[in-house]
Amino acid sequence: MILLLGGARSGKSALAVDLAQRGGAQVRFVATAQGDDDEMVARITHHRLHRPENWVTVEAPIDLVPAVRSTPGGDTILIDCITLWISQLMVDHDDEEIAARVDDLVTALEAHDGEVIVISNEVGFGLVPMDPVGRRFRDLQGRVNQTLARAATDTYLVVAGKTLRLDSDDVV
């Protein structure tokens, strides 16, 4: 599994598309976004236009694990993105339920016989949010990213279209 972390508009999605195309396998693009407003619809449209037409797209804003489990062996899975998935789960689920879903996701990704590319935002570089919901989201997203990074074979930080490979979790 390859985990791509970075801020908004850092180049994560473009890198993920490039990596998925290199493998030559059928790609299943698992989208977690929901077009609830005009601006988000425009973002989704932009991403679709920059995605190869022969890819299979699965919309999974909540039910990400079944989407992963139903992917045929040998196919590449590209998940874009964990951050939207987590923010949508927060509406109806507590942190323990979300952590269990993340554990189920990791198990499903590890069981998949094929390449896996996961995109998630790094939200820990900013200020401490002023409201409790923002702090909950930031803390939860940070814990989820750590869980995914532990499971990933390679983790990269993407900033301004440049990629930095992150070292293992060995203590320096």
Side-chain angles (χ1 to χ4, degrees):
M1 177 172 73
I2 297 171
L3 175 62
L4 302 177
L5 298 170
R9 297 287 186 239
S10 62
K12 301 179 304 293
S13 294
L15 176 59
V17 167
D18 183 54
L19 291 171
Q21 286 180 304
R22 289 183 199 176
Q26 174 63 53
V27 177
R28 178 168 291 206
F29 186 93
V30 183
T32 61
Q34 295 186 92
D36 293 335
D37 58 59
D38 291 343
E39 190 268 339
M40 190 54 122
V41 169
R43 286 177 180 264
I44 292 168
T45 300
H46 172 80
H47 276 272
R48 283 183 182 146
L49 292 173
H50 292 88
R51 192 181 309 149
E53 291 181 12
N54 64 325
W55 287 10
V56 174
T57 298
V58 176
E59 306 284 338
I62 300 294
D63 296 324
L64 186 53
V65 174
V68 167
R69 287 188 177 137
S70 68
T71 302
D75 283 8
T76 295
I77 297 173
L78 195 168
I79 299 173
D80 194 358
C81 79
I82 296 299
T83 308
L84 290 173
W85 181 57
I86 294 301
S87 65
Q88 291 157 169
L89 288 176
M90 284 178 60
V91 173
D92 294 319
H93 303 282
D94 65 28
D95 292 6
E96 292 75 27
E97 292 170 322
I98 294 171
R101 285 182 180 235
V102 171
D103 289 343
D104 289 347
L105 175 64
V106 168
T107 299
L109 292 172
E110 290 176 337
H112 179 67
D113 181 24
E115 186 173 17
V116 174
I117 302 166
V118 178
I119 298 171
S120 188
N121 283 34
E122 174 52 59
V123 297
F125 291 139
L127 299 172
V128 175
M130 292 181 65
D131 64 276
V133 173
R135 288 189 297 273
R136 176 183 174 221
F137 171 74
R138 187 231 22 219
D139 293 348
L140 183 58
Q141 183 68 54
R143 288 192 299 273
V144 168
N145 285 346
Q146 290 180 50
T147 298
L148 292 169
R150 280 191 297 274
T153 52
D154 294 298
T155 301
Y156 297 92
L157 179 64
V158 183
V159 178
K162 301 293 183 179
T163 307
L164 176 66
R165 183 175 184 178
L166 301 178
D167 288 333
S168 70
D169 55 2
D170 295 337
V171 177
V172 179

